Amino acid sequence: MTTIFDAPDMFAATALEGFARIYSRYVRHVRGGVVRATKTPAGKVAVIVGGGSGHYPAFAGYVGPGLADAAVAGDVFASPSTAAVARLCRQAQRGGGILLGFGNYAGDVLNFGVAAERLRAEGIDVRIVPVTDDVASAPAAMQAKRRGIAGDLVVFKIAGAAAEAGLPLDEVERVARHANRNTVSFGVAFKGCTLPGAPGPLFTVPKGQMALGLGIHGEPGTSEEAILPASGLARLLVDRLLAERPAGAGRVGAMLNGLGATKYEELFVLWTAVAPLLEKAGLEIVAPEAGEFVTSLDMQGCSLTLVWLDGELERYWTAACDTPVLRRGGAIATEPADPGTADEDDAPVFVAASAAGREGGLCIRRVLAAIAGTLADAEEELGRIDAYAGDGDHGQGMKRGADAAREAADRAVAAGAGAAGVLAFAGDAWADRAGGTSGALWGLLLRSWSGALSDEAPMEDAAVVRGARLALDAVMRLGGAKPGDKTLVDAFVPFVAALEKASAAGQALAPAWREAALAAKAAADATAQLTPKLGRARPLAEKSIGHPDAGAVSFALIAETVAGLLDG
């Protein structure tokens, strides 16, 4: 288990700081990630990668000449926030546009996507390539739904080499997508991983068994079978990937990846069985790698990644690079980059609020403080619910987000902000600190809700109800979920419907909200019978049946907390 840390909730940030100090010749620490410490030419395409922490050397270990220009780091197993992605992009871009690469997870898709929209509005050309290499998470005909696991490094390496060669953004994007289509991975786990400070692993594997089709965020495998000797394990991994071999493929890049607690010697033993199987299949192996490339804290297990090579992909797969984790080819001449600029989003500016608006801001602060207390008490239970088919970090993420929102509300109130300003600022803080899908959704939810409030007028019941509809519409539009997908939306939709119905019937906010909270609770309980269709739980749908969705449960819990305040 993870044992070396001080405060568990600061583990990721502290680890990133230590990494940046050790590898200062490669990277410069920027809040939320790292950028190259060496100069890049003006007009170069910036390849910026990222995702949650807990996967080292993904993603900061990929930054350096020939590979990535920056990496954005979220908390453990949580997507970096929209603000962090945009911040790192502004620091790293050189005028040639930006390619954003990340594993295909709902939180990353949402946060990187919203950040790309913001940057495009600023005149920066941004392209997005989610990596979809995990064959266990969806059939070949549904590659766009697959997760990104160890194939992240392959796709980023090839895209980084194309950018280093001076290709324009259109071409770098094309090459990256081509690499992604040609990259496949499959993995197994022998033991689960444990979050810093957690009392036990996110999942367990029966003694003598291995979990097939694991995820890298602590998700259990899709099935289990008896542990095989190296020859049998090699056959399992290779056969699963050869089933997707394109017609005419004769050359292949290969990578054996350890997940955090599998020794290098074990990978070397496994390679002696993998390589002959690939060669027997008529494949010539090009520049193979073995080691830790995309880990999952202290998970014991491994994965095999293959990239089907043509002339173009092979050229970039074998091109020189110099990063903390991967070094190839001859030395790349570099010189130190100029000192970076200060973070641009530390000093919020609020619209001057009236006395009535400030009173509304105080009300919002009281609500957020109560929510933070409720989520702190529920952290362990929400994590337990999430662990059935997710990564078990929902409680942690919700607590982090609510704490950050409460602190942001304190700052906004002290600065004289009104209801709209306090709620919007708190929403941004929730998303920035919590990360992940739930962090992005709650940040979006609160900021959208603030659009119905005012910094000048009193906070009226009708405005609160109108804000609920704005928030729901934004979450469904940008988050992509709909009722029945087993997400927060399953509780949010009946909440808003009940709130609007009671309000239209003339009820005051307190009793209307109470009815809506009861509707949300009933709907959240009913998600136990649903099959997840989005997010990390989707590949583990059967394990989720019989257990409610953690996002729906936490939404209902928050709604009930606010109802208690209104009743008082």
Side-chain angles (χ1 to χ4, degrees):
M1 62 186 298
T2 305
T3 55
I4 301 177
F5 56 87
D6 288 321
D9 62 343
M10 292 302 293
F11 177 82
T14 308
L16 185 66
E17 179 184 354
F19 165 82
R21 290 185 180 187
I22 289 172
Y23 293 107
S24 58
R25 79 180 182 93
Y26 290 104
V27 301
R28 176 172 58 84
H29 191 191
V30 174
R31 185 160 56 92
V34 294
V35 298
R36 272 200 210 180
T38 53
K39 284 186 177 180
T40 56
K44 176 188 177 297
V45 171
V47 174
I48 299 171
V49 303
S53 297
H55 305 302
Y56 186 81
F59 296 89
Y62 303 161
V63 176
L67 222 158
D69 295 275
V72 198
D75 275 301
V76 175
F77 297 169
S79 167
S81 69
T82 295
V85 175
R87 182 187 309 124
L88 268 292
C89 287
R90 295 187 189 105
Q91 293 269 342
Q93 67 98 12
R94 296 287 289 138
I98 293 170
L99 181 85
L100 288 175
F102 49 88
N104 188 35
Y105 297 90
D108 293 306
V109 170
L110 182 58
N111 279 306
F112 281 84
V114 175
E117 287 187 358
R118 290 186 185 179
L119 294 166
R120 289 171 186 142
E122 298 171 12
I124 301 172
D125 194 353
V126 182
R127 312 293 173 83
I128 291 176
V129 178
V131 179
T132 57
D133 62 303
D134 177 23
V135 303
S137 55
M142 301 172 65
Q143 189 188 31
K145 291 185 176 294
R146 286 179 168 176
R147 302 177 292 199
I149 52 173
D152 284 356
L153 176 57
V154 173
V155 177
F156 300 160
K157 166 67 182 72
I158 289 171
E164 201 76 29
L167 270 62
L169 183 57
D170 285 346
E171 283 296 286
V172 174
E173 179 188 14
R174 180 190 62 77
V175 169
R177 293 189 181 281
H178 181 37
N180 183 58
R181 285 191 299 270
N182 280 32
T183 301
V184 288
S185 300
F186 184 71
V188 301
F190 310 114
K191 290 182 181 178
C193 60
T194 304
L195 295 171
L202 292 174
F203 73 92
T204 58
V205 181
K207 186 176 181 179
Q209 299 280 300
M210 59 183 179
L212 276 60
L214 59 98
I216 58 169
H217 298 90
E219 309 98 316
T222 56
S223 62
E224 294 169 351
E225 67 176 58
I227 292 176
L228 298 168
S231 56
L233 178 57
R235 171 68 66 183
L236 172 71
L237 297 173
V238 170
D239 284 353
R240 193 65 185 266
L241 300 185
L242 286 182
E244 302 206 5
R245 179 181 183 177
R251 296 171 68 80
V252 65
M255 185 174 74
L256 270 180
N257 176 61
L259 285 156
T262 300
K263 298 185 182 303
Y264 276 56
E265 286 91 340
E266 294 178 272
L267 297 176
F268 299 154
V269 168
L270 183 57
W271 182 251
T272 66
V274 167
L277 292 173
L278 294 174
E279 292 164 352
K280 186 177 179 180
L283 291 167
E284 185 172 348
I285 304 167
V286 179
E289 296 284 349
E292 292 185 340
F293 300 107
V294 180
T295 62
S296 184
L297 288 176
D298 59 338
M299 186 185 289
Q300 186 178 6
C302 63
S303 63
L304 175 64
T305 298
L306 300 179
V307 52
W308 315 108
L309 298 173
D310 56 20
E312 180 179 53
L313 293 181
E314 183 171 338
R315 180 166 67 254
Y316 297 129
W317 171 239
T318 59
C321 65
D322 184 16
T323 72
V325 63
L326 188 65
R327 301 182 185 105
R328 282 190 173 171
I332 300 175
T334 61
E335 57 180 300
D338 298 329
T341 58
D343 290 343
E344 77 284 354
D345 53 1
D346 276 338
V349 177
F350 298 101
V351 174
S354 66
R358 291 195 298 273
E359 181 60 35
L362 288 169
C363 178
I364 295 295
R365 182 177 69 173
R366 288 193 295 271
V367 168
L368 291 171
I371 290 172
T374 294
L375 291 176
D377 293 340
E379 177 183 358
E380 185 175 341
E381 176 63 10
L382 291 173
R384 184 191 66 80
I385 295 170
D386 187 41
Y388 283 110
D391 52 22
D393 70 341
H394 185 73
Q396 271 192 357
M398 291 295 286
K399 178 183 181 298
R400 281 197 308 262
D403 285 346
R406 182 197 64 227
E407 293 165 4
D410 289 344
R411 290 176 61 192
V413 166
V422 171
L423 190 57
F425 188 55
D428 290 347
W430 188 313
D432 200 20
R433 183 69 185 92
T437 307
S438 63
L441 291 176
W442 273 95
L444 178 64
L445 186 159
L446 296 180
R447 174 165 275 282
S448 299
W449 207 316
S450 75
L453 305 183
S454 172
D455 290 319
E456 298 178 357
M459 194 162 62
E460 299 177 347
D461 291 2
V464 174
V465 175
R466 192 164 58 251
R469 172 57 63 180
L470 291 176
L472 175 61
D473 289 348
V475 165
M476 292 184 67
R477 183 179 69 256
L478 294 175
K482 59 185 183 299
D485 285 345
K486 198 166 186 172
T487 69
L488 167 154
V489 166
D490 288 297
F492 201 176
V493 167
F495 172 86
V496 173
L499 184 66
E500 290 177 334
K501 181 178 179 181
S503 178
Q507 289 193 37
L509 182 62
W513 191 288
R514 170 58 63 184
E515 288 189 19
L518 291 172
K521 175 66 166 59
D525 291 343
T527 61
Q529 305 310 314
L530 298 176
T531 300
K533 298 181 176 64
L534 294 174
R536 297 175 190 164
R538 182 182 55 79
L540 305 167
E542 295 303 318
K543 294 187 177 184
S544 173
I545 296 174
H547 305 286
D549 176 69
V553 169
S554 61
F555 179 90
L557 190 60
I558 289 170
E560 183 180 15
T561 298
V562 177
L565 283 179
L566 294 174
D567 287 342

